[in-house]
Amino acid sequence: MKQEYNFSRRFFLKTSSALGALAFIPKGVKAFYEEVKNFIVPAKEQIPLKVSINKKSYAIKADTRTTLLDLLREDLNLTGAKKGCDHGQCGACTVHVDGQRVLSCLTLAATLPGKEVTTIEGLANGDQLHPMQEAFIACDGFQCGYCTPGQIMSAVACVKEGHTKSIAEIKEFMSGNLCRCGAYNGIVESIQKVAAQ
Amino acid sequence: MRPFLFSKSSAANQALAKKNHSTQFIAGGTNLVDLMKKHIANPESLVDISSALPNKVENTTKGISIGAMMRNSATANDAIILAKFPLVAKAILAGASPQIRNMASAAGNLLQRTRCPYFYDVTTPCNKRQPGSGCSAINGENRMSAVAGYSEQCVAVHPSDLCVALAALDASVVVNDKDGKTQTIAFQDFHRLPGNTPQKDNNLPANALIRAIEIAANPFAKNNAYVKLRDRDSYAFALVSVAAALHLNGDKIVEARLASGGVAHKPWRWLAAEKYLKGKTANIANFEAAANIAIKDLKPLSHNGFKIPMLKGAIETALKQCLDL
Ligand SMILES: Cc1cc2nc3c(=O)[nH]c(=O)nc-3n(C[C@H](O)[C@H](O)[C@H](O)COP(=O)(O)OP(=O)(O)OC[C@H]3O[C@@H](n4cnc5c(N)ncnc54)[C@H](O)[C@@H]3O)c2cc1C
Ligand code: SF4
Ligand code: FES
Ligand code: FES
């Protein structure tokens, strides 16, 4: 119900401002165009993309609007990276691009050609888990597991960057990954464990 | 998101040739992609400029130049920045998260839009998003909003941390306009107060590109601090923040710099407090007096009166941290 209400209200607001703009055409043709644009859905652009993910190359066609996160989850069936917020606020979608941790929900797939993406699926070596994955299991670094792929990708980068000198430093440099279950102590312990290896 | 065309440019003039009012440049995308998802930014085409602009810190005759595409994490780790302008690194590291700093560019940080909740809620009036529709924050949820320099039209604050350090250090912004001509804009003239045109955040000429940010050599590398107070310890925008820098001769202050985020529509300089500190002894009593001068004329809104004592404390703390007190 609430959804419907919001929709019709928003539609009304937009319609009324478009009608308002109509009355002022001579004053602002550009403003009118800006309003009308909201009703006309432009043609979707599909672009051919060559992307390399976990050392495998894919040649695909994607809508320009596709984020790396949606490309992974919806098109390539790599569902390890999670969608928590889709707005850069939680870190559940963290992956590595050219070895650096980034947020896949704010990365457009169109920007990826020529770069190497690593996801949680690419971390293990065959059946042998990455030391950080082992540490998360050993130290109870998770409960429900939803934030975990993002936490692990971030944790691997945190160790590589050398931000592990103290618990405070680890916490600061892991602050981009939220955990609703509050598994933070286990996560810090996992990172200390791997950093000490 | 609205559908859009996408292309990448490998040189600044190529990118500028493609730019018009319905085209937007995309750098790290950390702000723009978010705004596009929310239908706040609706460009018809995007030009990826990540390979079109300088991405290094370079020594110049006057000081340094930070390339517009330098990622925030790289800037914060850069040897020249750490040696000569550590305040810049401190401010960057107080902002966002490691992932976002790896993506975010220097220029994009200057041009990021406000975090006013109504700006983000397209069902509410907001003069910045839709000029003439009204300001929902001025009598609404305004605890994050401005305490100085606002107008009836808009009470939003600029959300950047980096910009607070750049304001304190009197940086300048090097811009290439549509015809490729280069101009340099002083940092204090770059961002704007809202006045009657809150839709304009800054004075970047239409369709222009930021090429670099320059900082002149200065004597502040030794005594400086960045203090940021927020709703949680990390990964949150500032309620208030303070960049402080002192040039000392013994215990005498030759020159002081003080700037804040979370105060106004642009990074805010505390010029009267700086003037007061000039020539004084660097001690807690003088720091307190300077903080009192800074907060004297602030005008809080209905829900952000708490920012005044918070600012006073943050200014004192930042000045003390300059001395390692
Ligand atoms: C959850 C979250 C938390 C954050 N917390 C903080 C924080 O605490 N402190 C802080 O300072 N920031 C914070 N940020 C903001 C972040 O730092 C900015 O989004 C980032 O700096 C923008 O840079 P970008 O390269 O990604 O810009 P983009 O999103 O690519 O671009 C932003 C704008 O700048 C324009 N642009 C970019 N480069 C140029 C150029 N060279 N010339 C002309 N125009 C250009 C684009 O067209 C666009 O309009 C946060 C962001 C998120 C998502
Ligand atoms: S303060 Fe500015 S950004 Fe916020 S609602 Fe008012 S006009 Fe919009
Ligand atoms: S899903 Fe990307 S940060 Fe939340
Ligand atoms: S383990 Fe459940 S959200 Fe982190």
Side-chain angles (χ1 to χ4, degrees), chain A residues 33 37 64 87-88 105 175, chain B residues 2 4 34 37 44 234-235:
Chain A
Y33 167 69
K37 222 167 62 177
T64 47
H87 289 286
C105 71
S175 70
Chain B
R2 309 277 300 172
F4 56 85
D34 195 19
K37 285 183 182 184
E44 288 166 21
S234 183
Y235 198 17

Side-chain angles (χ1 to χ4, degrees), chain A residues 125-185:
Chain A
N125 186 0
D127 279 343
Q128 195 188 344
L129 293 181
H130 185 279
M132 192 61 78
Q133 293 172 307
E134 298 278 11
F136 266 65
I137 296 169
C139 305
D140 281 336
F142 56 92
Q143 279 185 42
C144 79
Y146 195 80
C147 72
T148 313
Q151 298 281 3
I152 292 180
M153 295 312 284
S154 207
V156 169
C158 186
V159 172
K160 203 178 90 187
E161 293 160 11
H163 293 303
T164 56
K165 286 185 273 302
S166 63
I167 290 179
E169 190 184 25
I170 294 174
K171 285 188 173 170
E172 175 59 37
F173 282 86
M174 287 298 290
S175 70
N177 293 79
L178 306 188
C179 173
R180 297 305 299 264
C181 299
Y184 294 113
N185 290 344

Side-chain angles (χ1 to χ4, degrees), chain B residues 114 116 118-119 125-128 134-138 153-156 198:
Chain B
T114 185
C116 174
Y118 302 104
F119 178 73
C126 167
N127 286 327
K128 189 180 272 302
C135 171
S136 300
I138 193 159
Q153 304 294 317
C154 178
V155 296

